[in-house]
Amino acid sequence: SPTTSLTLLSVNGEGADEASVKTKEIDMKDIETNKEPVPKLIKKIKENDPNLTILKLDGRKTIGESNWEALFEAMEDNTKLTHFSAVKCGLDDDMVVTLILALVENEDMVYLNLSCNKGLTDDTGKGFVKLLKQSNQTLKNLEFRKTKISNKLVEKINKILEERDEMRRQAKLQEERQRKIESLLSFSASDDVARRQSESVQGTDEPDDEYLSMSFKSLVSGASSKNTKQTQGSKAGSATRRKNIANKSITSGASSKGRRGGGNSANGSVASNRGL
């Protein structure tokens, strides 16, 4: 279908996922083919004309290859053009290579219809597969009806777009869940003020959480200080006891040494007397 949405690439024109979350609905059948001269259109695209968001060139077979290439090149840096249709324009693989390269950097094109161009083959299909896998993350709707791109490649592109769409939905759901969780867990300043005012009106004497927290901290701090002093006193007492024990040992050792020395002296006197 030419209606712009997150409906996926199709061979017969029927969307593969009509239940997808949709972007801004634009029915390309209601859009008239633009008849302006191609050089003028190229100029508008290069200048990022804000009024040129949809460009339909269906049936314009007289546009030359060089003009197509210049038109596609101009799209690379354009941020306004979101929908482009070139149905039955005589395009071939060589011309569309320039378009694929332009879409590598383009982050605004969401709809592209290249149906009824018999010159498009699997070379173009493979180019779009590579484009979607490696770089472009904005294309949501691609149409290649009545071209020579094989069904196998079409299905592969469909799958890429479908998986991309599912990942976006899952990411969005996850973000919503996260916001809800944060909202439930957080107290705003206004909620806290309202709670305090309510307690003041009710005249409650019950201590609030902040007071209890401060009291608990003071209690812990006091206990810690007391334990520190007790530990220091215990250490000082132990040191004094060790010093006394050391002094006693020294005194005892000296006394014992003196006795041993006296004994030796007496023995010497006895020996001397015996010699005499």
Side-chain angles (χ1 to χ4, degrees):
S1 168
T3 301
T4 300
S5 67
L6 289 188
T7 53
L8 307 179
L9 173 75
S10 57
V11 180
N12 57 9
E14 296 177 0
D17 186 6
E18 296 293 344
S20 298
V21 178
K22 294 185 177 182
T23 58
K24 181 180 178 182
E25 291 286 352
I26 297 175
D27 192 341
M28 294 300 286
K29 290 186 297 184
D30 297 333
I31 305 298
E32 293 184 0
T33 297
N34 191 304
K35 299 293 186 180
E36 292 181 84
V38 175
K40 186 176 180 179
L41 289 174
I42 294 172
K43 185 173 182 294
K44 284 185 176 182
I45 295 172
K46 283 184 176 180
E47 293 176 351
N48 225 17
D49 188 338
N51 296 315
L52 187 61
T53 59
I54 302 171
L55 181 58
K56 183 176 180 178
L57 300 176
D58 293 5
R60 295 189 62 172
K61 296 180 179 181
T62 58
I63 298 176
E65 183 174 347
S66 60
N67 277 333
W68 279 119
E69 290 181 357
L71 186 76
F72 294 150
E73 286 176 356
M75 291 180 183
E76 182 173 357
D77 298 319
N78 185 281
T79 61
K80 304 300 180 183
L81 187 63
T82 59
H83 297 70
F84 178 71
S85 180
V87 175
K88 209 171 185 178
C89 288
L91 295 174
D92 59 30
D93 291 334
D94 292 337
M95 297 179 190
V96 175
V97 166
T98 309
L99 175 60
I100 293 173
L101 293 175
L103 293 175
V104 169
E105 298 296 332
N106 186 290
E107 297 180 351
D108 297 276
M109 186 78 72
V110 297
Y111 173 88
L112 182 63
N113 190 348
L114 300 178
S115 299
C116 302
N117 287 289
K118 299 294 186 181
L120 300 183
T121 70
D122 278 358
D123 287 342
T124 292
K126 291 175 183 177
F128 273 99
V129 168
K130 189 173 182 179
L131 172 72
L132 294 173
K133 280 187 172 182
Q134 297 183 4
S135 56
N136 188 287
Q137 297 294 318
T138 55
L139 278 170
K140 298 176 176 65
N141 188 303
L142 301 177
E143 294 191 38
F144 294 113
R145 292 174 292 108
K146 296 182 180 181
T147 65
K148 292 182 180 179
I149 300 175
S150 66
N151 289 344
K152 183 177 180 180
L153 278 175
V154 168
E155 290 172 2
K156 192 168 186 176
I157 294 173
N158 264 334
K159 185 176 180 181
I160 295 171
L161 292 176
E162 188 174 23
E163 289 175 351
R164 176 188 294 183
D165 188 33
E166 179 62 24
M167 289 174 65
R168 285 197 181 98
R169 284 200 293 266
Q170 291 297 330
K172 186 175 180 180
L173 286 174
Q174 184 62 31
E175 288 177 3
E176 290 176 356
R177 291 193 194 101
Q178 188 64 30
R179 282 196 295 268
K180 288 179 181 179
I181 291 172
E182 290 174 357
S183 177
L184 289 172
L185 294 179
S186 65
F187 280 100
S188 67
S190 59
D191 290 337
D192 187 53
V193 170
R195 179 178 63 82
R196 291 177 180 272
Q197 288 177 344
S198 176
E199 290 177 353
S200 177
V201 171
Q202 293 173 5
T204 179
D205 292 329
E206 294 181 2
D208 58 18
D209 293 340
E210 184 178 356
Y211 174 78
L212 290 173
S213 178
M214 291 176 64
S215 299
F216 178 73
K217 288 179 181 178
S218 298
L219 180 62
V220 172
S221 178
S224 176
S225 178
K226 184 177 180 181
N227 290 336
T228 300
K229 290 179 179 178
Q230 290 176 348
T231 302
Q232 291 174 348
S234 177
K235 288 181 179 179
S238 298
T240 301
R241 286 193 295 274
R242 286 195 299 270
K243 186 175 181 181
N244 291 336
I245 292 170
N247 288 335
K248 288 180 180 179
S249 298
I250 292 171
T251 303
S252 176
S255 177
S256 174
K257 183 177 181 182
R259 287 195 297 272
R260 288 196 299 272
N264 291 336
S265 178
N267 293 333
S269 298
V270 171
S272 179
N273 290 331
R274 287 178 179 176
L276 292 173

